[in-house]
Amino acid sequence: MLKKGHSKKTFFFLLAFFCLQLIAVSDKDDFVYDLSLATQGISVSQYNTGVNYSIGRGINKDVEKAVYWYQRANEQGHSKAPFNIAIFYVDGINTNPDPKLALEYFLVAEERGNKHAKEFLDKLRKADNLDLKEACLLYTSPSPRDQRGSRMPSSA
């Protein structure tokens, strides 16, 4: 029961504030946990750390660090990591667009069974009178994917 002088609005405001604080701590704790496992060579945590840096979850956004951790996961055979790296190169985030390199990463992701890479490449393969590199620049790239395979917000 609320004490006299306290309104229900104040109570709910404070409750919401504390809940948001718990979520913020949780994101940072999750980031720290994934980073600690990533530095030990766990590919899923390396990928998750890349995602966290890409979207600023639990840490400030940092594209260079995101690519670094995606690369580490990619080196261990992760299927989503090369897909997200390809998107950085096709969109020219922190660099000029590089369709050749983007295409290489899309193909690696497809070889590893990444359904989103396959769908995007199939779309490119249907483009009339364009090679895959030209089509890669012409068509909008797919959205990067998070740990669960869901679309992430734009990393630009």
Side-chain angles (χ1 to χ4, degrees):
M1 183 156 185
L2 296 175
K3 291 185 179 183
K4 194 171 187 176
H6 289 250
S7 71
K8 286 185 180 181
K9 286 182 183 179
T10 303
F11 174 76
F12 286 114
F13 172 77
L14 291 172
L15 181 63
F17 176 78
F18 288 118
C19 287
L20 288 174
Q21 293 301 313
L22 290 174
I23 291 169
V25 170
S26 177
D27 283 352
K28 185 169 185 163
D29 289 345
D30 287 348
F31 170 77
V32 170
Y33 177 75
D34 272 325
L35 181 61
S36 69
L37 293 176
T39 60
Q40 296 174 42
I42 308 299
S43 68
V44 171
S45 290
Q46 291 170 334
Y47 176 77
N48 291 347
T49 300
V51 168
N52 292 335
Y53 274 117
S54 291
I55 63 175
R57 182 177 178 265
I59 192 72
N60 291 330
K61 274 181 150 181
D62 189 322
V63 172
E64 288 180 21
K65 288 180 182 176
V67 171
Y68 172 84
W69 286 111
Y70 287 144
Q71 286 285 11
R72 302 296 73 79
N74 177 55
E75 290 166 1
Q76 295 194 63
H78 200 283
S79 70
K80 293 177 191 169
F83 179 82
N84 284 2
I85 293 168
I87 293 166
F88 283 122
Y89 284 113
V90 77
D91 287 343
I93 298 172
N94 277 10
T95 183
N96 290 327
D98 189 336
K100 181 180 179 199
L101 198 50
L103 185 58
E104 289 176 23
Y105 280 108
F106 279 129
L107 290 167
V108 168
E110 180 186 45
E111 285 175 21
R112 292 180 184 165
N114 185 294
K115 71 177 184 173
H116 304 293
K118 179 174 179 10
E119 289 168 2
F120 182 64
L121 288 170
D122 285 347
K123 176 182 168 182
L124 298 184
R125 289 179 180 116
K126 292 177 184 174
D128 291 330
N129 301 321
L130 293 174
D131 69 15
L132 285 178
K133 286 180 280 189
E134 291 171 335
C136 195
L137 279 178
L138 180 65
Y139 290 101
T140 303
S141 67
S143 298
R145 301 294 166 158
D146 68 11
Q147 298 94 322
R148 297 171 303 280
S150 301
R151 291 178 189 259
M152 291 190 310
S154 173
S155 52

